[in-house]
Amino acid sequence: MAAKDNVLIIANRLPIHRVRSGRHARWDTSPGGLVTALSPILKGSGSGWIGWPGGTTGIRTFKHDGMRMIPIHLSSSEVEQYYHGFSNATIWPLYHDAIRTPTFNRKWWKPFVDVNKRFAQAAARVATPRQRVWIHDYQLQLVPKMLRELRPDLRIGFFLHIPFPPEELFAWLPWRREIIEGLLGADLIGFQTTADARDFSRAARLFTSATGTDHALRHKSRPIKIDTFPVSVDSHEIERCAADPHTIGHAQELRRRVGASRRIILAVDRLDYTKGIDLRLLAFEELLRRGLATVDECVMIQVASPTRETVSDYVEMRTTIERIVGRINGEYSIPGRVAVHYFRRSIPRRELVAYYAAADVMMVTPLRDGMNLVAKEYVSSRLDHSGALVLSEFAGAAQELRQAYLVNPWDMDGMVRSMDIALRQSRKDGRLRMGMLRMHVRRHHVHQWGRDFMGAMPE
Ligand code: GDG
């Protein structure tokens, strides 16, 4: 997208957050998939971004990196009910195959509606005539309809970054009709995979008066386009970063520190129960227990960036993960050879690319994931075509990255086998697979994703 596109973005969070060091404070880029995907295509474009800056103090509109930041204020009870409640304890688990039981709390619905309305009103205030507005993700599913009512002149797109559930699960939601009607206010609704798009279209026909096909719906005499736009990464930027002598030096230092002869198995996730961190650690434990690998030969590094730390399912997941890490290290580590390095913190982006560059095997094994950018970032950083990607069938990325070692994360034997095969793959086979994976991600990069979505919006 170029400056002339001047699109207005609406997302739950602004792409930046406040970092304090001593008496000084500055804005820093936030980690997370949505920011990673959108920032590179918007930087310097003069676009506006409406979002919550985090916290509960009011902030005025300001400029950052050539973008106009328009903050939405949330009260502490709205943070609790709209964000931690309805968004993250109802919608998030329901849309991820209900791998945790969603909470249906009637008290959370009104704050969810109120906050969505506040986002829509802010957009209606700042949008220029006929401007294109791109609304993002599951927290703001009511905004398309609300915004259309306030500003029928706007061209409205919506993209769901997480999966859309099959109709049997979506049917559980007491507010299913309102959510779908909210989304149907858009001109274009984008999903990560064809299955998500199909499931949405079916639910729309089942629970509202919408008619049409999986790609074209009609609701209240308006046409709505439904399509698939698999999100991606800025592969050129990652390649540049991986080729930087500083990153190469960092990766070498990392390998030296864990033991130069050891193979590194890496995993990088937000500390979320959808990411399958616990099952992956159990698979590594079994690999060691069955003697398929030893701590002299390999080491596992798990980077887990903290997220939603006050939601109880997240607290439980963290405790489980830390217990498993403790048990593996207690059982298998020897002096100078720690079995699992576990970092519960967010690491700087450059450092992350050095980790990718150092890793022999990348484990991306979520139980359910809209796409998973980590898989694509790893592939982009493998400049010499070495390395192996073990990828869950239940990540949207598996629909594209067919040359990865695809695995069912629930199948413990399959997980151990895939890890073993990835560790022992021949150089030739590995290079062939990685070459094809790299070609795919280079062709389908995030700028193309942005162009494809904007190109599908009405003129
Ligand atoms: C949602 C959907 C979809 C992670 N730890 C650190 C760090 N990260 C960055 C990664 C990557 C991003 O965060 C995570 O993206 P994912 O795609 O893996 O997952 P979600 O945050 O769940 O994102 C997902 C995505 O939206 C985009 O549509 O793919 O399915 O759930 O970019 O690199 N970055 C830094 N330090 C860390 O410790 N700097």
Side-chain angles (χ1 to χ4, degrees):
M1 282 192 294
K4 61 180 165 48
D5 290 311
N6 207 332
V7 57
L8 178 64
I9 299 289
I10 314 182
N12 173 56
R13 290 296 295 259
L14 286 178
I16 49 181
H17 63 284
R18 206 80 179 131
V19 185
R20 293 201 171 277
S21 57
R23 278 192 294 140
H24 300 284
R26 61 185 164 81
W27 291 102
D28 206 359
T29 305
S30 304
L34 191 141
V35 173
T36 311
L38 281 172
S39 293
I41 52 183
L42 292 172
K43 263 186 193 164
S45 67
S47 298
W49 185 311
I50 298 180
W52 172 43
T56 53
T57 43
I59 300 169
R60 282 173 204 268
T61 296
F62 61 99
K63 276 231 161 187
H64 180 89
D65 245 356
M67 276 187 279
R68 200 169 148 221
M69 301 286 160
I70 303 150
I72 297 290
H73 174 75
L74 298 187
S75 69
S76 54
S77 76
E78 283 168 343
V79 173
E80 246 349 277
Q81 299 177 308
Y82 147 80
Y83 183 63
H84 293 310
F86 199 86
S87 298
N88 290 334
T90 306
I91 297 287
W92 180 267
L94 181 68
Y95 282 33
H96 286 91
D97 285 355
I99 51 179
R100 287 290 182 283
T101 308
T103 305
F104 299 114
N105 184 338
R106 283 173 289 173
K107 291 203 189 97
W108 293 345
W109 175 246
K110 186 171 177 307
F112 185 74
V113 174
D114 290 347
V115 172
N116 271 252
K117 199 171 286 167
R118 199 168 311 143
F119 275 83
Q121 284 164 342
R125 243 187 340 264
V126 301
T128 54
R130 286 190 48 76
Q131 191 175 10
R132 290 191 287 180
V133 180
W134 191 359
I135 304 162
H136 290 266
D137 231 1
Y138 62 103
Q139 306 93 345
L140 302 177
Q141 294 177 87
L142 303 178
V143 174
K145 177 175 183 228
M146 292 170 166
L147 185 55
R148 179 163 303 281
E149 279 165 6
L150 294 166
R151 288 285 305 270
D153 63 303
L154 299 175
R155 291 163 293 167
I156 303 174
F158 180 94
F159 185 78
L160 186 70
H161 289 255
I162 67 174
F164 191 86
E167 69 191 42
E168 300 82 18
L169 285 179
F170 186 71
W172 295 2
L173 187 65
W175 305 274
R176 60 198 186 192
R177 185 178 50 79
E178 289 87 338
I179 291 286
I180 295 199
E181 284 180 348
L183 290 168
L184 291 174
D187 297 298
L188 169 67
I189 311 177
F191 295 90
Q192 302 274 26
T193 67
T194 47
D196 297 324
R198 182 201 59 213
D199 287 338
F200 171 78
S201 299
R202 284 191 186 160
R205 290 187 301 250
L206 199 60
F207 300 120
T208 73
S209 59
T211 54
T213 65
D214 286 357
H215 289 286
L217 291 173
R218 265 198 108 70
H219 184 244
K220 307 220 160 121
S221 317
R222 274 187 50 252
I224 299 120
K225 257 210 288 193
I226 314 295
D227 216 337
T228 305
F229 303 89
V231 72
S232 193
V233 296
D234 190 344
S235 50
H236 295 296
E237 187 264 333
I238 296 172
E239 285 181 7
R240 264 196 307 276
C241 184
D244 186 312
H246 185 83
T247 313
I248 296 171
H250 199 123
Q252 282 166 348
E253 171 66 10
L254 195 71
R255 295 196 67 96
R256 195 188 58 73
R257 282 190 183 211
V258 297
S261 62
R262 296 170 90 196
R263 322 217 66 204
I264 296 178
I265 304 171
L266 176 68
V268 175
D269 315 83
R270 280 188 307 100
L271 210 167
D272 195 298
Y273 54 77
T274 59
K275 302 290 183 184
I277 302 173
D278 49 346
L279 293 180
R280 181 190 307 146
L281 287 164
L282 291 175
F284 181 60
E285 183 177 36
E286 188 154 327
L287 189 86
L288 296 176
R289 187 168 54 238
R290 287 180 20 196
L292 294 168
T294 68
V295 288
D296 267 328
E297 292 161 349
C298 68
V299 53
M300 177 149 194
I301 301 178
Q302 171 71 61
V303 178
S305 47
T307 183
R308 304 173 196 170
E309 292 204 299
T310 55
V311 179
S312 63
D313 282 330
Y314 288 75
V315 177
E316 246 173 63
M317 176 60 13
R318 175 181 163 189
T319 312
T320 305
I321 289 167
E322 292 178 357
R323 203 183 53 232
I324 300 172
V325 170
R327 190 176 67 214
I328 300 175
N329 281 339
E331 198 69 36
Y332 297 100
S333 297
I334 53 175
R337 292 281 185 265
V338 172
V340 180
H341 287 281
Y342 165 70
F343 306 128
R344 194 184 63 81
R345 73 186 83 110
S346 179
I347 57 179
R349 185 126 187 104
R350 267 178 166 282
E351 213 175 296
L352 189 60
V353 177
Y355 275 80
Y356 291 146
D360 300 286
V361 174
M362 184 82 210
M363 296 291 294
V364 179
T365 55
L367 308 179
R368 195 79 176 97
D369 217 330
M371 176 54 58
N372 197 294
L373 296 180
V374 169
K376 293 185 174 181
E377 288 168 1
Y378 176 69
V379 166
S380 297
S381 73
R382 307 303 302 180
L383 300 181
D384 64 355
H385 297 202
S386 66
L389 173 65
V390 177
L391 177 62
S392 163
E393 293 166 23
F394 307 122
Q399 299 305 313
E400 297 172 81
L401 305 182
R402 305 305 292 177
Q403 292 77 23
Y405 294 102
L406 295 180
V407 69
N408 169 0
W410 297 102
D411 170 10
M412 196 45 68
D413 286 333
M415 284 278 278
V416 175
R417 203 168 40 244
S418 300
M419 229 186 246
D420 187 34
I421 291 173
L423 280 168
R424 291 169 204 286
Q425 74 174 2
S426 75
R427 220 174 122 82
K428 191 168 159 235
D429 185 31
R431 289 173 66 85
L432 202 65
R433 283 171 179 268
M434 191 54 76
M436 288 195 273
L437 292 170
R438 285 179 56 74
M439 196 152 69
H440 181 89
V441 179
R442 287 189 113 202
R443 282 198 186 143
H444 301 90
H445 48 74
V446 72
H447 296 271
Q448 192 57 45
W449 171 74
R451 281 197 288 268
D452 288 348
F453 189 91
M454 294 311 288
M457 291 263 270
E459 279 305 309

